[in-house]
């Protein structure tokens, strides 16, 4: 197997980045709130203060989301004993690559100014680009350690494209709501990754079984990822919610769902391990399931106890997924899912879509208020006559769209990635940073008895 | 000793979480700023912009506090060589458990809407719940490595309850001010933990002495905790301060006190170690003492140099505490304080209470302005006639209340935890993740000479 | 060589901190937005809401910058296998020391209230103090592992002083703009550090060559620094930009430049390593170059594709710097640059200054709008008649000032640091935490064959 990417990786990066520059040159400009004409716009529109610039509504959430994408996803995947460089480094590469393409794709669908044919970007576009990339990073979790960086870039190129289309269909055509992206991001991303992994099935993967596990410190590194995801998830679900009560409520709902998930995850983990010990895999992953599942309904009047209930079940289901469903997926369905994204993103994402559909269908004027109902579901313009029950149906349709795009797109992209030109590792070299990284020589790796006979070991600093 | 928690841990988690769902269902609703009726409320109250929703005043601080609770406290305790899972994992569990109970307990005392008997929550409640849990996490520092997760949950259940009561007495009955919680959080939490540790004294703890220390990388992990606590402490002390100048001033005071503390901590650490070397224990902990001590007075006109002075002395006192007082506590008073919370939270907390009392008593209309004085100390309603000197007295009374609740509550809870039903570790198994966690086999742990004779060592990846 | 700093370090810290307290007592007060008189000020000035306090415009950015200074710079330097304590710990000390002096120095130049001779501080001063310290931390990168903490403090004392003067000349006298500090912070800081390193050249540094490199986990720690710098750089460049569109645009430009840099860094790294492997040194450092280079022009109408172009070239140049220029610097110019700050800060900083000058000179009323142009470049008061082309000239002049102060100041300070009184390490002890820190005994460091013969190894926990 040829894992040399000396030609392909630089070429893809350069060609891609040059294309981005050209496309941005042709299409992308600042929007009215990030352009120097804001000062005129403010005057003309009687905006009383600079603080009403959308920047101040969304920037703190944006930065939290940014941390989730780069540190959260990146470090969550460092749990493997010898794939931390690949986890955090390729995550970095893929995200930086994807956000640019996302700004264009989402821009064409959502932010195109028809007067001059330009995409006008502001802070909300940056958040949406980060969201879009999240879908691809979720997919990366399924194939972690088994693909080359070039394959990841191809996966991201197609992933972002598919994402932008399904997002347009779900949010604009169907007019479904999905503030935290349970459907648009998590369901799509997870099934996209799982389908790719299914196509790329490696029957002899146990040749690198000795590397497909953690060591003590790599598990602690992974907790950095877990915690930053967990802590900032309220920002994720509220980042593009409506100004005012929308963002406020989304943050509260997410905070509560996640707290609930932690307790049921711990309970299940302890229940299924001998002598009640806890398993780091569950703590690192299943504790996040509540955030995924409350994504769609975060903005709705789910009510605090509703959020707790969603979190309660997701902690249980996700942990059971790691215990029973992941081995089943691998053995029976031939889906090798390195990070267990089926348990963290796929199932909770689908649950989130269903919760969203039900809670939308159950919305009433009494609970929301007349204005509140119109506001929350944007029953305006062409959708002015839509009622909650119908909205619930469209929410459910949205979930189906996400599933179809994820599975269909994943199979297609998986077939592309099967071409023998991408430099992917042999079965015995999976989960090994040596293949794509200059790895520092850890001096302790010299067989100790030999080391002791030469000059190396007596230097006590040398063997950290 | 039976450390099997296979029954007790899941039962406690499930029963607890179900109770939370029921109680939230009965009691907890969104407040007017997080409810869809906000849009009506805004109109009725002539609020000109969504940006005046309390969410935008407090959300950035909230997220910083959230990081302090989960990453800050969690990673600060990872310094032990083999208790990083317990440090960061149980911290996670305890905090997720505690915030729910805190929302209820604090809600009944502070956010109960008497018209419908519901607790109405918004962003400030989330911050206060995080604060409340901070008290319990401080207490965890004293017993780190010596208790079971079930004991921690019991400790948190009682801790949050006691916290809510003492907080109500101090802030509402006595009408003392304590923006950063020097008294309410740090003094209470620290004495609560120290009292528990005193009751749970283990005379033979040196059986696990070899694990009660750090290794190189665990000390670096702990610095993640230290730095996130240090950096975000200005947010902690300003998170629930008054809008406008109150939050602004609290952040400045805390920033300065912490900077000052770093220098005196380094000076003392160097002064007391041979050849002037620095001790990581001091750098990890004592550098934070200034943030604790400036908590109560952060909102006051302490003035920038006043903050520096507070930080100056706390760095010295806290470092001396680690050098002289911790051994004394352990040998003479039989208080085993794993993380040295007496030096980081107890002494600086008491100092903070005293600084608060003095600076409140010394407040004048000249310095504060008439309106500013009334505003800062809330001399309104039933307290309209209170004057600064009297306020100083009530501040001091508040400190005593915190001490009494901490010590009294701690002794009571300690006795509860002494019951032989909680699955706590034997003396020789303290500070060891093996007891409650599935710990990955580090292949290097095989005695090297044997390893060399079989297949393991030649694989260089295996021994990280 | 005497590395005992038992006297010098405590004395410097105490004397310094006491001086700070006195100077703050004489000079520093709250400004009108952080003082209790804000409540009166608001009324008098018809400010409609507390949310218009500058605190709410800048606090989220401030906290992000704070994280960059303490975690970003600190962890970026943890890559050395045995200098992580020094990296993160001395970074902490230097920054805490420097921000206080910066508040005074910058305060005298920028925030002095001539009516009462006091420096009036608010949130913007805290950000500027962090910025000022960033210059010194950049310089620390060049001498990492080769100086004592006392030398670092001296370097910071002079560095902050020089910074405040050059900043005053560039921003106030020349009236150049430099929101993200390409010139003021990066160019100055990098040449300051490189010049010091040049004066302190150690011909026999290869005696500690075995410690001048990374191990697997230390590279992962360094990625924490890289990512927090990368993610929060949009906040860095927008933190003190104009309210409204200024901050908004600066964030967008930086986000894009950084994304572009990642791709070209990866491309170049892969291109120049055998079989296309990636080098962690490049990923950790060169990916940040775009943020540096877009600093000056971040606030300008650089346009999104302009930002991508800047990032594109900086990723290439910075990576080439690590491959070709660093060895050249060391061998030919006798500049030993531990962290490669020449590639991360010096070259991109200079590029940033040039980009700033060109884009200022090219500004037109058509692109900016009349009001927008005046606003962005502050063509008001004594500068009301300045036009963009002239502004471009002043920008270029600003770059020269930064270079002169950096090189001149660095040579001077280097000579001061050459005095044999500062306790710096011998050539064979460079890059070694043992010299200035109590380092925990890692039990694995016992030669394994001996360990096996005594009691230590059989305890499997002991050898992490």
């Amino acid at each position: 197997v040829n894992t040399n990417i000396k030609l392909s990786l630089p070429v893809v990066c350069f060609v891609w980045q040059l294309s981005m520059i050209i496309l941005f040159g042709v299409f992308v400009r600042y929007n009215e709130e990030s352009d120097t004409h804001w000062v005129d716009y403010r005057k003309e529109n009687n905006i009383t203060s600079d603080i009403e610039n959308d920047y101040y509504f969304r920037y703190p959430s944006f930065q939290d989301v940014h941390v989730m994408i780069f540190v959260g996803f990146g470090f969550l995947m460092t749990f493997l004993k010898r794939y931390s460089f690949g986890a955090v480094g390729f995550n970095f590469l893929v995200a930086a690559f994807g956000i640019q393409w996302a700004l264009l794709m989402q821009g064409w669908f959502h932010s195109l100014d028809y007067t001059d044919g330009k995409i006008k970007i502001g802070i909300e576009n940056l958040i949406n680009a980060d969201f879009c990339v999240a879908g691809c990073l979720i997919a990366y979790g399924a194939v972690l350690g088994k693909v080359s960086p070039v394959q990841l870039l191809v996966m991201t190129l197609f992933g972002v494209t598919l994402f932008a289309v399904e997002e347009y269909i779900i949010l604009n055509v169907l007019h479904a709501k999905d503030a935290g992206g349970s459907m648009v991001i998590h369901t799509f991303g997870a099934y996209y990754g799982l389908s790719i992994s299914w196509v790329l099935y490696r029957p002899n993967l146990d040749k690198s079984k000795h590397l497909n596990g953690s060591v003590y410190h790599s598990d602690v590194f992974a907790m950095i990822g877990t915690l930053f995801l967990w802590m900032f998830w309220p920002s994720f679900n509220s980042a593009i919610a409506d100004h005012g009560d929308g963002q406020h409520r989304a943050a509260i709902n997410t905070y509560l769902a996640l707290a609930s998930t932690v307790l049921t995850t711990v309970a299940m983990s302890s229940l299924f391990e001998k002598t009640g010990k806890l398993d780091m895999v569950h703590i690192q992953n299943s504790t996040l399931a509540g955030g995924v599942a409350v994504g769609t309904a975060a903005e709705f009047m789910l009510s605090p106890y509703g959020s707790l209930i969603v979190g309660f079940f997701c902690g249980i289901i996700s942990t059971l997924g790691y215990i029973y469903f992941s081995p089943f997926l691998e053995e029976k369905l031939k889906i090798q899912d390195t990070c267990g994204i089926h348990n963290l993103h796929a199932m909770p994402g689908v649950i989130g879509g269903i919760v969203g559909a039900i809670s939308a269908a159950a919305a009433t004027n009494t609970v929301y208020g007349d204005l509140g109902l119109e506001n929350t579901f944007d029953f305006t313009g062409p959708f002015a006559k839509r009622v909650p029950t119908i909205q619930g149906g469209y929410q459910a349709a949205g979930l189906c769209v996400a599933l179809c795009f994820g599975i269909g797109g994943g199979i297609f992209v998986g077939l592309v990635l099967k071409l023998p030109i991408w430099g992917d590792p042999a079965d015995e070299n999976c989960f090994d940073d040596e293949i794509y990284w200059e790895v520092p020589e850890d001096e302790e790796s010299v067989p100790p008895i030999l080391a002791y006979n030469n000059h190396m070991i007596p230097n006590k600093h040398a063997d950290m």
Side-chain angles (χ1 to χ4, degrees), chain A:
Chain A
V1 175
N2 181 7
T3 60
N4 191 324
I5 49 171
K6 186 161 184 165
L7 188 64
S8 55
L9 184 59
V11 165
V12 169
C13 287
F14 275 128
V15 169
W16 182 252
Q17 192 55 57
L18 285 168
S19 315
M20 286 300 107
I21 290 173
I22 294 165
L23 288 168
F24 269 65
V26 176
F27 285 107
V28 184
R29 298 293 178 271
Y30 304 116
N31 75 9
E32 67 212 0
E33 299 189 286
S34 58
D35 188 288
T36 42
H37 291 85
W38 159 256
V39 64
D40 305 305
Y41 181 84
R42 243 194 79 178
K43 290 201 175 174
E44 287 157 22
N45 292 272
N46 275 320
I47 294 168
T48 53
S49 167
D50 276 329
I51 198 92
E52 292 181 56
N53 192 304
D54 195 37
Y55 178 82
Y56 300 102
F57 285 92
R58 306 209 183 274
Y59 193 73
S61 312
F62 159 64
Q63 275 295 3
D64 293 349
V65 170
H66 218 40
V67 171
M68 293 173 75
I69 299 299
F70 290 89
V71 161
F73 282 106
F75 273 86
L76 185 62
M77 298 191 287
T78 57
F79 72 98
L80 290 174
K81 65 183 79 166
R82 272 286 164 167
Y83 209 71
S84 300
F85 290 8
V88 81
F90 294 154
N91 183 82
F92 192 16
L93 170 62
V94 160
F97 172 92
I99 51 179
Q100 300 179 54
W101 182 226
L103 281 170
L104 284 165
M105 281 300 300
Q106 295 181 312
W108 283 314
F109 282 119
H110 298 289
S111 309
L112 199 60
D113 181 340
Y114 290 99
T115 61
D116 60 1
K118 304 295 184 196
I119 296 165
K120 302 288 171 68
I121 64 171
I123 189 71
E124 197 170 338
N125 299 71
L126 305 192
I127 297 170
N128 276 315
D130 273 20
F131 276 6
C132 182
V133 160
C136 299
L137 299 179
I138 290 165
Y140 179 25
V143 297
L144 181 74
K146 300 175 295 186
V147 293
S148 76
V150 181
Q151 283 177 306
L152 284 174
L153 293 175
V154 173
M155 228 172 103
T156 306
L157 169 61
F158 285 107
V160 168
T161 312
L162 289 161
F163 183 100
V165 177
E166 60 109 36
E167 183 192 40
Y168 179 75
I169 296 171
I170 295 172
L171 302 189
N172 294 53
V173 178
L174 301 177
H175 196 70
K177 303 289 288 179
D178 196 11
S182 299
M183 306 183 287
V184 169
I185 301 169
H186 297 285
T187 303
F188 166 75
Y191 284 101
Y192 181 63
L194 291 166
S195 303
I196 291 173
S197 195
W198 178 68
V199 178
L200 299 181
Y201 181 69
R202 288 167 179 265
N204 301 314
L205 189 59
D206 56 1
K207 284 186 186 167
S208 51
K209 196 181 161 189
H210 60 294
L211 291 177
N212 191 1
S214 64
V215 288
Y216 194 73
H217 280 166
S218 70
D219 268 330
V220 181
F221 277 121
M223 283 302 292
I224 296 174
T226 300
L227 288 175
F228 275 103
L229 287 170
W230 194 92
M231 296 181 303
F232 288 166
W233 216 295
S235 297
F236 192 92
N237 286 350
S238 68
I240 56 161
D242 283 348
H243 288 179
D245 64 293
Q247 291 195 284
H248 203 151
R249 193 166 53 254
I252 294 171
N253 286 335
T254 312
Y255 176 94
L256 290 171
L258 285 164
S260 181
T261 306
V262 174
L263 268 86
T264 53
T265 298
V266 167
M268 294 304 285
S269 184
S270 176
L271 205 59
F272 283 84
E273 299 285 327
K274 56 176 189 233
T275 74
K277 289 186 185 188
L278 298 173
D279 188 329
M280 260 294 172
V281 172
H282 307 153
I283 306 302
Q284 282 159 8
N285 293 283
S286 298
T287 50
L288 300 166
V292 174
V294 87
T296 301
E299 223 183 335
F300 302 165
M301 292 290 282
L302 187 58
S303 82
Y305 69 91
S307 306
L308 290 181
I309 292 172
V310 172
F312 185 91
F313 287 108
C314 283
I316 295 172
I317 292 166
S318 179
T319 312
L320 286 176
Y322 278 98
I323 297 168
Y324 292 118
F325 211 64
S326 284
F328 172 82
L329 272 186
E330 177 149 1
E331 281 156 38
K332 305 295 173 190
L333 301 187
K334 308 297 180 201
I335 298 175
Q336 292 155 330
D337 177 7
T338 313
C339 296
I341 63 165
H342 190 268
N343 314 307
L344 169 48
H345 297 282
M347 291 191 297
V350 171
I351 293 171
I354 296 168
V355 169
I358 295 172
S359 49
T364 63
N365 289 53
T366 327
V367 171
Y368 283 75
D370 294 338
L371 225 71
L373 190 70
E374 186 191 309
N375 242 33
T376 305
F377 293 100
D378 286 324
F379 289 156
T380 53
F383 305 100
K385 295 197 172 160
R386 195 178 276 188
V387 294
T389 45
I390 302 295
Q391 178 68 21
Y394 280 103
Q395 294 284 142
L399 180 59
C400 299
V401 172
L403 276 165
C404 293
F405 267 79
I407 295 170
I411 291 170
F412 168 72
V413 174
L415 291 171
V416 172
L417 296 182
K418 243 185 138 76
L419 298 175
I421 56 173
W422 306 114
D424 44 323
D427 290 338
E428 58 270 30
N429 292 327
C430 286
F431 315 116
D432 191 349
D433 273 334
E434 288 279 340
I435 308 303
Y436 303 116
W437 295 88
E438 294 288 330
V439 176
E441 295 277 330
D442 286 356
E443 292 169 29
E444 63 183 326
S445 67
V446 177
I449 189 139
L450 297 182
Y452 184 60
N453 290 336
N454 64 32
H455 66 289
M456 299 187 75
I457 279 293
N459 180 336
K460 69 177 281 197
H461 314 299
D463 48 354
M464 257 311 282

